[in-house]
Amino acid sequence: MLAAWNRGVIKMQIRKLNTNEEPPLELLLLADPSRRLVEEYLRRGNCFVGSLDDQIIGVYVLLPTRPDTVELVNVAVEEKHQGKGIGKLLVKHAVQVSMDLGFKTIEVGTGNSGVGQLALYQKCGFRITGVDKDFFVRHYDEEIYENGIQVVDMIRLSQDLGLTTRHRRTDGSEEASPTSRV
C-alpha cells in the first residue's frame, strides 16, 4: 500500500516496507531504546515508512496481537522533522491501514512521561484504557527518562475502529462517520 499524505507543504509518501529492505533501525530506536524488543516486533509485525524526497523520515510498526486487534508498537519521526505534524500523519495512516485490513480495534502504549505522545494519540481518536504498572522497569535493563521524569508505567490507549465506519444512506450511497475530529 502506497499513500501520499499532504499537510500544508509536507508531501510524504507512506508505504509498507518491502521484505528485501532493511528496516530503519536507528529511527525505530528513537521511539523504543530496546534493540531486542524492536527486532522482535519487526519479525512479527508490518513496518511502514514515510518518505520525503525519497528519504525515510518516519516509521511505524503494526503488530497483530489478538483476533480483530492490532497494536501500533512504534511510531518514530526523524528528530529534525519532529513538530511538523508527521507523527500525526503516520498515526492516522496506521489507523486507516488497520481499518482496511479489517481490524476492529487498534491499541497503542506509551510511557507515563510522554505528554506529547499522549496528546497526539488522543487527538487521533485513541482513548486511555489502562495502565501497565512498572512495564518499563520489568522489560528494560536501563532506566529511561523523558521530560525529566523516569518512564516507569505504560499508558495503554485504544480506538474502536468499528466506530469509524461507513454508513449506507437510504439512497444507497455511503457516508463516512468518524468518531473524532482532528
Side-chain angles (χ1 to χ4, degrees), residues 58-166:
V59 62
Y60 72 84
V61 178
L62 285 176
L63 177 66
T65 55
R66 296 185 301 280
D68 300 325
T69 302
V70 66
E71 184 173 355
L72 180 57
V73 291
N74 189 311
V75 179
V77 175
E78 234 180 41
E79 290 183 27
K80 70 180 179 181
H81 292 287
Q82 291 177 5
K84 299 177 182 177
I86 292 169
K88 185 185 252 185
L89 291 177
L90 291 168
V91 172
K92 287 180 152 192
H93 188 268
V95 169
Q96 185 62 54
V97 166
S98 299
M99 287 174 48
D100 292 347
L101 292 173
F103 289 102
K104 294 181 179 163
T105 303
I106 183 170
E107 299 176 332
V108 67
T110 192
N112 56 278
S113 59
V115 178
Q117 295 93 316
L118 285 167
L120 168 66
Y121 296 133
Q122 291 176 85
K123 286 178 184 178
C124 291
F126 287 82
R127 299 194 57 198
I128 296 172
T129 56
V131 177
D132 188 345
K133 292 186 181 212
D134 297 320
F135 177 88
F136 292 94
V137 175
R138 290 191 319 268
H139 295 283
Y140 291 81
D141 295 332
E142 295 183 24
E143 293 179 351
I144 304 168
Y145 286 86
E146 184 175 37
N147 299 318
I149 304 167
Q150 185 177 356
V151 182
V152 177
D153 303 322
M154 179 180 285
I155 309 300
R156 304 291 307 165
L157 302 96
S158 72
Q159 185 175 147
D160 182 351
L161 299 177
L163 295 176
T164 309
T165 58
R166 297 198 168 274

Side-chain angles (χ1 to χ4, degrees), residues 23-62:
L25 198 55
E26 294 306 314
L27 194 51
L28 290 158
L29 290 170
L30 286 177
D32 186 338
S34 172
R35 183 182 214 93
R36 178 185 58 79
L37 290 177
V38 169
E39 289 174 348
E40 180 181 312
Y41 57 67
L42 278 172
R43 277 192 295 278
R44 298 183 302 134
N46 294 299
C47 184
F48 292 80
V49 292
S51 300
L52 188 60
D53 299 325
D54 295 322
Q55 185 75 24
I56 294 175
I57 61 165
V59 62
Y60 72 84
V61 178
L62 285 176

